[in-house]
């Protein structure tokens, strides 16, 4: 009887050893140790034995059961370990594989042009000045010698806030960045060389006007500043900005309340494949003139308003749309697309996330030299 049982245990252990999967091991376990299994049946026979017989048989049968149970667990563990080994060997993680590209933003053309302006004018000794977009009517109009009756002050041209500030000034969204220059003169006095780029607002909206747009103004105050300084500075700036040496300017007399005399500046351009390309004499065949910016010698009344002595100092100033500069340099034709926030337009016209200003070698470098 016990030799037969020993044989059965040996068989079971051999079959367990040969079992090639967890399912096969489980089937063998049920055959031996399950409710109807042969070892479980043997256990039941203990109940029918005499106490003496049970005392000698019970440890033996429990021994059989323990050997089989242990063999089942060992085989299961061995098979699971082998399966894990196989997975580890086949599922290799290649850490040298390039990671998927994270989505990257791009530099907006307006931001790019602002960077370029800062770069060019830094070479000419200008600092970048900034100031509030919500202004008083004094800084935005009065200090710029704009009469109480000036049409630009009209409510249909300017965005006004309903309440006045603590000093009784009417508040508005600045219509140009000139108030930044007024504040700079008040804070720092003369001499001064600054550009003031930033957002400006006018109650205007059509194909060529957006209610928010970007402007850059420049201001130089020192002793002996004259119109020649203005012309040279604008010429040098435009040559660097458009990266061409053949920029030709035409200065026309004009009128602004804040400058006297006032000068409208045109630039010569050619039309190539339906695109305006800046450069060349506007009077040359196939060329024309385009109005690019307004400028002039700072009106002495503006210097007085800003606390600068007009007997000692003179200065020039200019103002220009940044959006317009971007359109001309990068061949964009629809101003409204600038502020639609359409990512497809940006990926077409935008610049890399870490783009540098495209200027070749700074002001004074020969055209075409540099990065
Ligand atoms: C234009 C013309 C201009 C100025 C802006 C200015 C600023 C101060 C004093 C005097 Cl603080 N002038 N700025 C001067 C002339 C023209 O802008 O057509 N802008 C788009």
């Amino acid at each position: 009887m016990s030799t037969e049982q020993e044989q059965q245990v040996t068989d079971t252990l051999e079959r367990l050893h040969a079992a090639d999967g967890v399912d096969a091991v489980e089937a063998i376990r049920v055959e031996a140790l399950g409710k109807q299994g042969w070892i479980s049946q043997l256990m039941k026979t203990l109940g029918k034995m005499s106490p003496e017989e049970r005392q000698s048989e019970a440890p033996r049968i429990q021994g059989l059961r323990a050997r089989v149970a242990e063999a089942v667990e060992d085989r299961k563990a061995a098979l699971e370990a082998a399966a894990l080994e196989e997975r580890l060997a086949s599922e290799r993680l290649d850490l040298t594989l390039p990671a998927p590209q994270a989505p990257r933003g791009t530099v907006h053309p307006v931001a790019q042009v602002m960077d370029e302006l800062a770069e060019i004018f830094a070479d000419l000794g200008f600092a970048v000045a900034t100031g509030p977009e919500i202004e008083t009517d004094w800084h935005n109009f009065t200090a710029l010698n704009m009469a109480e009756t000036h049409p630009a002050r009209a409510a249909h041209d300017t965005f006004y806030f309903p309440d006045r500030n603590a000093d009784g000034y009417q508040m508005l969204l600045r219509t140009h960045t000139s108030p930044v220059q007024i504040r700079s003169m008040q804070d720092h006095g003369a001499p001064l060389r600054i550009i003031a780029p930033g957002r400006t607002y006018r109650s205007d909206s059509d194909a060529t006007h957006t209610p928010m747009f970007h402007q850059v103004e420049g201001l130089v105050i020192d002793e002996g500043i004259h119109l020649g300084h203005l012309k040279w500075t604008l010429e040098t700036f435009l040559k660097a900005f458009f990266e061409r040496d053949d920029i030709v300017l035409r200065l026309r007399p004009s009128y602004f309340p804040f400058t006297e005399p006032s000068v409208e500046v045109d630039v010569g351009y050619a039309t190539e494949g339906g695109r305006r390309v800046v450069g060349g004499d506007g009077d040359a065949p196939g060329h024309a003139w385009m109005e690019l910016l307004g400028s002039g010698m700072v009106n002495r009344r503006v210097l007085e308003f800003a606390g600068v002595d007009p007997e000692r100092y003179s200065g020039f100033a200019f103002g220009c749309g940044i959006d317009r500069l971007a359109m001309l340099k990068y061949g964009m034709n629809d101003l409204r697309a600038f502020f639609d926030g359409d990512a497809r337009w940006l990926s077409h016209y935008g610049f890399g996330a870490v783009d540098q200003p495209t200027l070749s070698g700074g002001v004074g470098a020969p055209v075409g030299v540099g990065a």
Side-chain angles (χ1 to χ4, degrees):
M1 170 93 166
S2 80
T3 6
E4 193 188 319
Q5 288 166 8
E6 276 302 327
Q7 186 58 48
Q8 217 163 351
V9 169
T10 309
D11 280 356
T12 301
L13 296 189
E14 271 169 14
R15 285 171 58 213
L16 277 173
H17 187 72
D20 57 4
V22 175
D23 289 348
V25 172
E26 178 61 13
I28 297 166
R29 187 194 67 81
V30 170
E31 255 177 59
L33 303 171
K35 267 206 176 87
Q36 304 303 318
W38 63 270
I39 294 180
S40 305
Q41 299 303 318
L42 268 183
M43 297 292 283
K44 280 180 195 158
T45 62
L46 288 174
K48 296 176 193 133
M49 292 175 188
S50 66
E52 296 76 24
E53 200 182 0
R54 189 183 306 137
Q55 222 166 30
S56 70
E57 280 299 285
R60 198 185 57 80
I61 293 172
Q62 273 157 1
L64 294 182
R65 189 174 67 164
R67 281 168 67 197
V68 171
E70 195 182 330
V72 164
E73 288 316 308
D74 285 355
R75 188 62 189 148
K76 268 191 184 167
L79 286 169
E80 279 163 5
L84 182 62
E85 268 313 308
E86 197 177 38
R87 269 188 57 197
L88 288 177
S90 64
E91 293 178 14
R92 233 172 246 285
L93 197 59
D94 183 357
L95 296 177
T96 67
L97 212 60
Q101 277 273 315
R104 280 205 198 162
T106 56
V107 173
H108 193 282
V110 170
Q112 171 81 10
V113 168
M114 283 192 182
D115 290 347
E116 291 171 6
L117 293 170
E119 192 100 339
I120 293 170
F121 279 102
D123 278 359
L124 298 174
F126 286 63
V128 172
T130 57
E133 292 178 18
I134 296 173
E135 267 295 2
T136 67
D137 64 345
W138 190 88
H139 290 92
N140 194 83
F141 293 129
T142 310
L144 286 147
N145 192 36
M146 294 169 82
E148 293 298 326
T149 53
H150 194 284
R153 290 197 188 234
H156 60 261
D157 283 334
T158 299
F159 293 112
Y160 284 96
F161 288 89
D163 301 322
R164 289 172 184 267
N165 77 354
D167 299 322
Y169 287 110
Q170 189 85 80
M171 302 303 286
L172 48 78
L173 290 176
R174 68 183 185 194
T175 61
H176 40 201
T177 59
S178 312
V180 175
Q181 332 233 64
I182 297 295
R183 289 177 181 279
S184 295
M185 285 189 272
Q186 289 180 316
D187 293 348
H188 306 291
L192 199 63
R193 266 189 280 188
I194 51 168
I195 57 165
R199 293 171 182 266
T200 50
Y201 304 84
R202 286 181 202 174
S203 184
D204 223 345
S205 190
D206 59 40
T208 55
H209 297 86
T210 50
M212 187 282 299
F213 57 103
H214 298 82
Q215 202 202 12
V216 62
E217 286 203 9
L219 176 71
V220 171
I221 308 279
D222 209 334
E223 294 181 8
I225 295 294
H226 55 71
L227 216 54
H229 296 122
L230 166 64
K231 189 180 181 219
W232 180 88
T233 303
L234 291 180
E235 217 167 65
T236 306
F237 152 54
L238 293 171
K239 282 179 181 177
F241 180 74
F242 288 109
E243 298 179 61
R244 300 180 63 128
D245 227 11
D246 63 345
I247 301 292
V248 183
L249 298 186
R250 183 174 75 173
L251 274 54
R252 282 181 293 111
S254 182
Y255 173 79
F256 301 110
F258 28 88
T259 46
E260 180 59 35
S262 300
V263 178
E264 209 96 55
V265 178
D266 301 337
V267 64
Y269 73 95
T271 307
E272 289 170 17
R275 258 187 67 183
R276 287 176 169 193
V277 179
V278 173
D281 184 338
D283 289 326
H287 285 64
W289 294 107
M290 172 172 34
E291 189 181 317
L292 195 58
L293 48 86
S295 61
M297 301 306 295
V298 178
N299 189 307
R300 57 182 294 131
R301 284 177 53 85
V302 175
L303 294 178
E304 279 165 6
F305 275 123
V308 171
D309 177 7
E311 294 305 320
R312 180 170 174 197
Y313 293 104
S314 59
F316 70 78
F318 60 89
C320 180
I322 291 178
D323 311 323
R324 186 174 165 71
L325 286 176
M327 289 170 84
L328 272 174
K329 180 163 178 179
Y330 296 111
M332 300 139 173
N333 41 31
D334 187 0
L335 176 68
R336 288 170 297 187
F338 274 63
F339 313 117
D340 279 348
D342 187 334
R344 294 167 303 177
W345 182 84
L346 266 181
S347 65
H348 185 69
Y349 285 116
F351 301 86
V354 288
D355 237 35
Q356 302 294 313
T358 61
L359 308 165
S360 26
V363 172
V367 172
V369 171

